[in-house]
Amino acid sequence: QVQLQESGPGLVKPSETLSLTCNVSGVSISSYYWSWIRQPLGKGLEWIGHIYYSGSTNYNPSLKSRVTISVDTSNNQFSLRLRSVTAADTAIYYCARYRGVLGADYWGQGTLVTVSS
Amino acid sequence: EIVLTQSPAIVSLSPGDSATLSCRASQTITSDLAWYQQKPGQAPRLLIYEASNRATGIPARFSGSGSGTDFTLTISSLEPEDFAVYYCQQSSNWPPLLTFGGGTKVEIK
C-alpha cells in the first residue's frame, strides 16, 4: 500500500535551515504533486508548497523566499528545505500526495520540528 | 489570494445528530474544493474532493455540496468516531496554490 514517511532532525536552531525528507513507498513518485504541509501545535493546516514529478514547484507566497522543495525520483523521495527558521516555524510537518482536483489522498504521519537554541 | 472561512469554529453535538459545516471562499472558486478530517495525533484524512465526491472508503453519511463561494460538509448521523476537526481546502487554477480553511471542531455535547 501507499506509505509516506517524513524524516529529519526534530530540533533546529534559530536562523538555521530545516531539512526534511519524505520517503514514498508503494507508488512511483513519477506522477502527481508531492506536497509539504505544516501545522503549529493546536492550530490549523498551512500549505508550504509542492513539487510535480517533473521538478516544477509551487510555493506558498508567504514562505516562498525561504523554501526549496526538490525531488529524487531514483530514490522515490522528495525533500523540504526551509531557511532562516524562527520559533514561528515550530510545527508538525506533513508530506502528502496531492492529486489536483482529487485532493491530497495520502499523508505521512507527520514529524514535529522544534526551532529552539 | 483566496481566503477560506469555516464556520462555526466549534460545534457541540451528540451522537446521532446531524452536523452541517460551512466553508466560504472570499471569491468564486471552481468545484476544486476538498474536505479533510483530522483526529488528535493523526494526519488529516481526505473525505471529499471536487466539492461532492466521497474519497475511497468514506462512509455515505459524509456528503459535500456547494458551488461558487459557499460549500457545505454534512454528516448525516454522527458516530462516536466522527468527533474531530474538519478542514476545507481549495486550489487556485494556475498556478496550483493550495489554501486551507481554519477548521471546524465537532465536539461531543
Side-chain angles (χ1 to χ4, degrees):
Chain A
Q1 74 275 26
V2 178
Q3 290 187 317
L4 286 75
Q5 178 68 57
E6 305 90 350
S7 62
L11 181 65
V12 181
K13 290 182 168 56
S15 80
E16 296 191 345
T17 297
L18 179 159
S19 295
L20 295 173
T21 295
C22 181
N23 186 66
V24 179
S25 60
V27 68
S28 171
I29 204 169
S30 297
S31 60
Y32 303 120
Y33 292 93
W34 300 91
S35 301
W36 288 100
I37 296 150
R38 70 181 183 179
Q39 184 173 38
L41 295 179
K43 297 190 177 181
L45 300 169
E46 180 181 35
W47 176 71
I48 300 170
H50 56 216
I51 188 164
Y52 197 54
Y53 73 96
S54 61
S56 66
T57 53
N58 299 108
Y59 300 126
N60 187 322
S62 68
L63 297 170
K64 186 175 183 177
S65 64
R66 299 194 291 131
V67 174
T68 301
I69 297 175
S70 58
V71 65
D72 179 356
T73 53
S74 61
N75 287 306
N76 224 43
Q77 60 187 25
F78 62 108
S79 299
L80 168 70
R81 287 173 56 85
L82 180 64
R83 297 175 290 278
S84 304
V85 297
T86 69
D89 295 310
T90 294
I92 297 172
Y93 285 75
Y94 295 101
C95 58
R97 183 177 80 167
Y98 176 63
R99 297 203 296 164
V101 297
L102 302 181
D105 57 351
Y106 288 102
W107 295 65
Q109 64 186 24
T111 187
L112 175 62
V113 179
T114 301
V115 178
S116 174
S117 55
Chain B
E1 178 189 348
I2 296 174
V3 176
L4 297 178
T5 301
Q6 291 188 242
S7 61
I10 303 174
V11 60
S12 299
L13 296 166
S14 300
D17 287 347
S18 175
T20 302
L21 282 56
S22 172
C23 177
R24 177 163 291 178
S26 58
Q27 58 186 273
T28 298
I29 62 176
T30 67
S31 60
D32 184 5
L33 186 112
W35 290 93
Y36 300 85
Q37 177 194 66
Q38 187 179 33
K39 297 179 182 179
Q42 296 184 17
R45 177 175 71 144
L46 177 66
L47 297 176
I48 301 287
Y49 64 91
E50 282 187 290
S52 60
N53 295 303
R54 276 188 302 277
T56 303
I58 302 303
R61 63 181 182 272
F62 291 93
S63 63
S65 62
S67 63
T69 60
D70 292 309
F71 298 84
T72 300
L73 175 69
T74 301
I75 311 171
S76 60
S77 178
L78 284 163
E79 297 286 343
E81 62 268 27
D82 298 336
F83 291 91
V85 180
Y86 293 83
Y87 294 95
C88 58
Q89 170 258 311
Q90 70 86 35
S91 173
S92 56
N93 269 342
W94 192 263
L97 308 181
L98 274 63
T99 306
F100 287 94
T104 291
K105 182 178 182 180
V106 179
E107 65 175 24
I108 299 177
K109 188 174 183 179

